Amino acid sequence: MTHQDLKKADDGRVLIFDTTLRDGEQSPGATMSHREKLEIASMLDEMGVDIIEAGFPIASEGDFAAVSEIARNTKNATICGLARANLKDIDRCWEAVKHANSPRIHTFIGTSPLHRAIPNLTQDEMAERIHETVTHARNLCENVQWSPMDATRTEWDFLKRTVEIAIRAGATTINIPDTVGYTAPAESAELIRRLIAEIEGAEDVIFATHCHNDLGMATANSLAAVDGGARQIECTINGLGERAGNTALEEVVMALRVRNDIMPYSTGVDTTKIMAISRRVATVSGFPVQFNKAIVGKNAFAHESGIHQDGMLKNAETFEIMRPADVGLAGTSLPLGKHSGRAALREKLRTLGFDVADNQLNDIFVRFKELADRKKEVFDEDIEALVQAQGAGEETIQLQHLRVVCGTEGPQTADMTLLIDGEQAHTETTGDGPVDAAFNALKALVSHDAKLQLYQVSAVTEGTDAQATVTVRLEEDGRIVTGQSADTDTVVASVRAYVSALNRLLVKRGRTGPGNDTKVISYRDVS
Ligand code: KIV
Ligand code: ZN
């Protein structure tokens, strides 16, 4: 398999290794359900990502089940699982990825002085551990990636020694992580260049770069590493990831495409699929994309200043270095209205990148008609919000009725009926504003101690009849869940988002099979 990777690199390809489902999902609150992970993996495969890091199989039953199912279902991409530097982790990882057409084991250990101190290993002991674990992984799988975690803060001599050991033990990809986002572009390029120049056998492996964005340099550092000889970039959709996140896939892929004159490398990614997956990841992770985010932000292609608009009208190239269509943003399109039928809706969904099953279409159609009754024109963003707010259809708690009374004279009141496991539950509550009153009703009907960590509202389109997208993040005993919903009524959207988060919390509290995403261990506890 790696020979194929080397062949691709010889042909001028930079391999795209997506870790949205592993490093991205590790971000507190970004937990995705089993079904959502499968869906994202399938979108990544369709868009042409070379390697999908699907999870950390030993972390939980849920992670194991997701990685195994993704491995079974994926057609083209290599499926990779993460394992710490011990035989048990590696065996569990292999059990999950072995079903893939092209499986990969990714094993790692923290090599910097700070990370060596945690398992309390001497350099010699760590060297021995690397030899033993990479050899074991290679006996199971012909495609093995090895990473010295915190490589950019590891002493040069020890880093070189460990990489040499990993290559001799059979690693086929050597990944150099900038775990804490500490490096800078010139240093990132030089580190890879020096490793390739000085390490025996370097020409037989792929060098990868894995950057975090703590200083806002992840994309620049990844591209600099490519300049230094790296031929695999590790990244996530929307830059999702712990703290300030990882390198954003859409940024490196579009940079390589737009500036191919100075970075003459290609990727296998179909860039027209970028917007659809970006929106889907934002929804399922509950991490909205900042408005001015490069490539996928709401304003990335919006030109508001007079001078810019004038220039754009005369020649789009005056202010655009790429076309919206290049990243899958539909150009001006006709909005749908209340007379539009099912076929028009299906066609619209298709152009927006959503391939929905018949039963999903029926559900979206019903909600589209309700929306079209309330709103004169239904724009692309409204349709996307409808799809993204779509529940699994099997939620324990469902909102059946809500009436709020608000205005200058308080207290505001909420009259709410929920269906809980099919049984009706009703209450009337007051609060400091309509949202507070409605959330108090939810707390009265569904007993929970979860704390509201985030409540965020944004308008989907312009105008006072715009839908509001609401994100709610709850935390209970260390479990963090996010719910999202959209509606022209902000209070209804808020309650639905809260209900969606509560349903996810119930899953996390109780289930033990696939879908229980509670991590039982952290990848940083190296045993
Ligand atoms: O950032 C990091 O060091 C990682 C490793 C597990 C590769 O994510
Ligand atoms: Zn990482």
Side-chain angles (χ1 to χ4, degrees):
M1 193 65 235
T2 301
H3 293 303
Q4 272 181 33
D5 292 346
L6 283 172
K7 163 109 190 32
K8 283 186 189 167
D10 281 348
D11 293 344
R13 274 278 290 275
V14 168
L15 302 171
I16 297 296
F17 176 109
D18 181 277
T19 182
T20 306
L21 297 174
R22 200 278 299 169
D23 222 355
E25 210 244 353
Q26 223 162 265
S27 191
T31 314
M32 300 173 201
S33 71
H34 186 76
R35 191 178 59 99
E36 289 162 348
K37 288 182 192 172
L38 300 190
E39 190 192 339
I40 298 297
S42 142
M43 291 176 94
L44 288 168
D45 193 32
E46 267 179 40
M47 83 188 286
V49 158
D50 298 282
I51 304 114
I52 299 173
E53 188 164 50
F56 179 24
I58 204 158
S60 70
E61 290 300 321
D63 261 45
F64 181 85
V67 178
S68 325
E69 203 167 336
I70 291 168
R72 283 194 172 88
N73 293 348
T74 303
K75 296 192 194 84
N76 307 308
T78 295
I79 299 302
C80 176
L82 185 70
R84 293 168 300 178
N86 67 67
L87 307 190
K88 213 169 137 211
D89 269 44
I90 292 170
D91 287 343
R92 188 77 174 145
C93 178
W94 175 240
E95 280 309 304
V97 297
K98 71 179 182 193
H99 311 286
N101 290 334
S102 166
R104 175 181 293 188
I105 296 174
H106 176 194
T107 179
F108 75 99
I109 194 161
T111 48
S112 66
L114 282 167
H115 283 273
R116 288 201 302 269
I118 297 171
N120 198 14
L121 293 180
T122 64
Q123 291 195 358
D124 286 346
E125 285 164 345
M126 187 164 280
E128 178 50 35
R129 176 82 74 95
I130 295 164
H131 170 77
E132 181 198 12
T133 50
V134 175
T135 305
H136 183 70
R138 188 55 210 264
N139 284 338
L140 297 170
C141 181
E142 64 173 23
N143 190 339
V144 172
Q145 170 166 327
W146 182 74
S147 298
M149 185 164 78
D150 207 12
T152 52
R153 293 192 300 167
T154 300
E155 309 91 316
W156 164 256
D157 287 343
F158 188 56
L159 180 65
K160 178 168 180 263
R161 179 178 172 200
T162 57
V163 171
E164 276 168 353
I165 292 169
I167 294 178
R168 275 204 302 274
T172 45
T173 296
I174 298 293
N175 175 40
I176 302 299
D178 181 31
T179 306
V180 290
Y182 178 71
T183 197
E187 189 181 68
S188 173
E190 186 48 28
L191 182 59
I192 301 281
R193 195 169 284 128
R194 197 166 169 205
L195 285 166
I196 293 176
E198 296 189 23
I199 284 178
E200 211 183 306
E203 64 287 358
D204 298 328
V205 301
I206 296 273
F207 275 81
T209 178
H210 175 112
C211 298
H212 283 261
N213 203 29
D214 299 66
L215 291 173
M217 293 192 280
T219 295
N221 289 337
S222 302
L223 295 171
V226 168
D227 197 38
R231 290 294 173 267
Q232 175 177 302
I233 298 180
E234 306 209 352
C235 46
T236 59
I237 302 293
N238 299 339
L240 188 68
E242 283 185 279
R243 309 185 309 277
N246 290 56
T247 301
L249 179 147
E250 62 278 7
E251 293 178 14
V252 286
V253 166
M254 288 312 289
L256 288 173
R257 180 176 157 152
V258 173
R259 295 311 312 273
N260 202 254
D261 53 331
I262 53 167
M263 295 182 282
Y265 308 102
S266 61
T267 72
V269 172
D270 174 354
T271 62
T272 63
K273 303 220 183 300
I274 285 177
M275 278 316 297
I277 192 163
S278 161
R279 288 175 175 147
R280 197 69 195 121
V281 167
T283 302
V284 301
S285 66
F287 277 61
V289 174
Q290 80 192 46
F291 283 8
N292 58 342
K293 161 87 179 61
I295 318 293
V296 292
K298 198 175 159 139
N299 289 358
F301 292 92
H303 302 270
E304 253 190 81
S305 87
I307 296 176
H308 286 209
Q309 284 189 350
D310 185 51
M312 283 294 295
L313 289 172
K314 291 186 177 125
N315 178 356
E317 281 181 27
T318 47
F319 288 102
E320 267 180 10
I321 54 169
M322 44 198 161
R323 286 167 305 151
D326 296 343
V327 298
L329 259 181
T332 38
S333 65
L334 292 179
L336 298 182
K338 66 177 180 188
H339 300 298
S340 308
R342 208 175 288 258
L345 179 64
R346 187 190 276 284
E347 179 54 19
K348 174 66 80 185
L349 288 168
R350 208 190 49 74
T351 59
L352 293 174
F354 296 108
D355 189 10
V356 296
D358 284 347
N359 59 340
Q360 279 175 300
L361 178 71
N362 291 343
D363 177 46
I364 298 166
F365 188 66
V366 170
R367 288 183 302 119
F368 159 71
K369 282 288 178 186
E370 283 166 12
L371 184 64
D373 271 341
R374 280 183 279 152
K375 214 170 169 279
K376 224 166 80 210
E377 293 176 318
V378 180
F379 296 100
D380 291 356
E381 292 87 344
D382 290 314
I383 307 277
E384 277 161 354
L386 280 184
V387 183
Q388 287 163 354
Q390 197 190 20
E394 52 200 37
E395 288 89 0
T396 311
I397 310 166
Q398 288 171 29
L399 175 67
Q400 200 177 46
H401 155 88
L402 173 68
R403 175 166 297 280
V404 287
V405 178
C406 61
T408 48
E409 275 82 53
Q412 287 71 26
T413 61
D415 178 304
M416 181 183 288
T417 308
L418 297 180
L419 272 185
I420 305 176
D421 266 333
E423 300 274 318
Q424 274 192 338
H426 172 259
T427 191
E428 271 184 56
T429 45
T430 57
D432 191 1
V435 175
D436 190 48
F439 284 7
N440 285 341
L442 276 174
K443 283 180 209 145
L445 293 174
V446 184
S447 156
H448 62 278
D449 294 325
K451 295 203 173 42
L452 182 65
Q453 275 200 338
L454 174 87
Y455 169 64
Q456 186 169 288
V457 184
S458 60
V460 173
T461 57
E462 322 283 289
T464 49
D465 68 347
Q467 289 195 90
T469 291
V470 178
T471 305
V472 165
R473 189 176 304 149
L474 300 177
E475 189 268 334
E476 184 190 75
D477 297 334
R479 303 180 192 99
I480 301 177
V481 287
T482 313
Q484 259 192 15
S485 191
D487 200 279
T488 49
D489 185 320
T490 309
V491 186
V492 171
S494 303
V495 170
R496 288 220 169 99
Y498 200 123
V499 166
S500 155
L502 278 177
N503 278 315
R504 284 168 185 249
L505 197 60
L506 292 182
V507 171
K508 280 201 156 197
R509 272 186 198 164
R511 286 239 292 267
T512 51
N516 173 13
D517 300 317
T518 309
K519 304 270 186 287
V520 292
I521 48 174
S522 146
Y523 83 110
R524 301 219 188 272
D525 321 323
V526 179
S527 56

